[in-house]
Amino acid sequence: MLNCVNLLIRKRSTFRNMSTVTQPSPSDANSNNRKPRNRWNRDVPRKGFGENISDTGGSRPTHFLCLPLGHHPDLQDKMTRFQSSLLEDSVDGLDPSILIKPRRLHFTLGVMSLSPRSSISSQSTTTVESALTLLRSLQPQLSELCAVGKSGTLQASLERLGAFESNDGARVMWVSPRENEGWPESEEELEERVKLVRVADMVHQAFKDAGYITETRPLKLHCTLINTSYRKPFSRKPQLFSFTDVLASNTLLELRPNGYSTQATSVSSPPESSPDRTTRVALGTYTIPEIQLCAMGSHGPEDEYVSLGSVKFNADVARGE
């Protein structure tokens, strides 16, 4: 009988001790999982939505190499009119927040995760300064490639509009130079197009070989015009837009080249290995003066991406800020 009483007392004591344990509040539990905010990260596309950013060695991308386009006033004017007109058309899922500002237009050559140039104690070999050193070392090869042809520099003709799509809609709309669609072009235009691809591939491969770019997919040279990862307010379930509506819009007619046919065959069917649909446009030809290393999500005085250093195509010495 005495043993039973002692056992009952011990059980009651244990229960009282358990009931006095303080349980963590939801806010306390979540505080340990919070990540410090990057001062550049407000405009960094969410992983899985951007262009060529899905594989950066497990680290969030901080910088990217690019061929700038948004500094051309003519392109800024064309894109401003195009975006304003497109918003007035009935394009399902389109919103001002997902339109890329014209001053920020560029071709991305690769994204990477770099340590700050001021981080002396960092053990990482992939720093801003080392990336700029590699970029400057490519100057002789870049000058040699760009010397080919009549222009003596690098030019890009924006003639091909496409989107990254799924059955539910499109997440990114882009414009790029033509590829091998069979559209009429002169020998000079073909020469400039091939030169652009060679420069882009050479720089991309050099940074991949050095371990800065860890993306495994081949480079797809394009300039993003719409990106749903920037949609506001943020939603965990992505809201896509209809590229089909864009193709059927009156706005797109304004971008067609002269004498262009509007028959159903104007939209090319994608190859079996690609989900992309493309169509022909005429947004103009633009000179690209340099390659820049820019900070993700940064904003300059004209709302452009901030360049931390660059290499000019027609200069003997690279420029660094």
Side-chain angles (χ1 to χ4, degrees):
M1 181 67 178
L2 182 60
N3 291 335
C4 293
V5 172
N6 289 336
L7 181 60
L8 180 61
I9 291 174
R10 283 197 299 271
K11 287 184 176 181
R12 288 179 176 177
S13 177
T14 302
F15 178 77
R16 283 195 298 270
N17 290 336
M18 291 176 60
S19 64
T20 58
V21 175
T22 303
Q23 299 296 326
S25 66
S27 59
D28 293 334
N30 292 334
S31 63
N32 293 329
N33 297 323
R34 291 173 184 163
K35 296 181 180 180
R37 295 188 66 184
N38 186 319
R39 66 192 181 101
W40 299 115
N41 71 358
R42 293 184 179 180
D43 288 338
V44 178
R46 294 188 289 277
K47 192 171 183 179
F49 283 87
E51 62 252 56
N52 298 330
I53 69 168
S54 65
D55 185 0
T56 53
S59 302
R60 189 175 182 85
T62 59
H63 298 79
F64 63 96
L65 290 167
C66 74
L67 302 173
L69 291 167
H71 60 286
H72 290 284
D74 182 43
L75 181 58
Q76 292 181 40
D77 291 342
K78 287 181 179 179
M79 288 311 306
T80 298
R81 293 196 302 269
F82 172 68
Q83 291 178 347
S84 298
S85 181
L86 199 60
L87 286 170
E88 296 176 359
D89 283 323
S90 299
V91 177
D92 185 49
L94 193 64
D95 182 82
S97 63
I98 67 176
L99 301 177
I100 304 301
K101 295 181 179 179
R103 186 61 180 87
R104 298 170 76 79
L105 297 178
H106 63 274
F107 291 132
T108 301
L109 301 184
V111 300
M112 58 200 81
S113 181
L114 301 178
S115 300
R117 64 199 312 174
S118 59
S119 181
I120 301 176
S121 61
S122 174
Q123 300 299 317
S124 174
T125 58
T126 55
T127 64
V128 170
E129 196 57 53
S130 64
L132 288 174
T133 299
L134 175 57
L135 180 61
R136 293 173 186 133
S137 72
L138 302 177
Q139 176 73 57
Q141 295 167 266
L142 292 170
S143 297
E144 184 178 350
L145 285 173
C146 290
V148 175
K150 295 182 179 180
S151 69
T153 184
L154 202 64
Q155 294 185 346
S157 296
L158 305 180
E159 301 178 90
R160 186 166 169 260
L161 186 74
F164 299 145
E165 296 182 277
S166 67
N167 292 333
D168 298 324
R171 56 185 176 86
V172 170
M173 187 174 80
W174 46 264
V175 66
S176 76
R178 69 173 68 191
E179 291 189 350
N180 297 305
E181 292 83 358
W183 301 333
E185 66 179 333
S186 65
E187 290 186 7
E188 183 177 348
E189 290 171 333
L190 174 60
E191 191 174 57
E192 291 297 330
R193 179 164 63 87
V194 171
K195 181 167 61 175
L196 176 64
V197 172
R198 286 177 177 172
V199 167
D201 285 345
M202 187 273 285
V203 175
H204 179 83
Q205 192 62 48
F207 274 80
K208 180 179 285 188
D209 292 343
Y212 290 89
I213 296 174
T214 57
E215 173 62 69
T216 56
R217 294 172 297 179
L219 177 66
K220 183 180 178 66
L221 197 63
H222 65 281
C223 173
T224 300
L225 305 180
I226 298 176
N227 193 334
T228 56
S229 69
Y230 295 121
R231 188 181 298 278
K232 298 177 183 179
F234 167 74
S235 173
R236 293 191 178 277
K237 183 178 180 181
Q239 183 181 350
L240 307 181
F241 70 96
S242 173
F243 185 54
T244 299
D245 287 351
V246 174
L247 294 174
S249 68
N250 292 326
T251 299
L252 191 58
L253 295 177
E254 301 174 7
L255 298 184
R256 299 294 193 188
N258 294 331
Y260 185 76
S261 172
T262 58
Q263 297 176 356
T265 55
S266 62
V267 179
S268 62
S269 300
E272 293 182 1
S273 60
S274 172
D276 302 344
R277 286 184 296 169
T278 61
T279 189
R280 191 177 180 187
V281 294
L283 275 170
T285 300
Y286 302 93
T287 299
I288 300 174
E290 61 187 7
I291 297 178
Q292 296 178 345
L293 176 67
C294 295
M296 282 276 194
S298 59
H299 294 266
E302 297 179 3
D303 212 16
E304 76 281 11
Y305 283 102
V306 175
S307 172
L308 303 179
S310 64
V311 167
K312 287 185 175 295
F313 294 122
N314 57 354
D316 295 329
V317 181
R319 173 173 60 87
E321 290 81 32

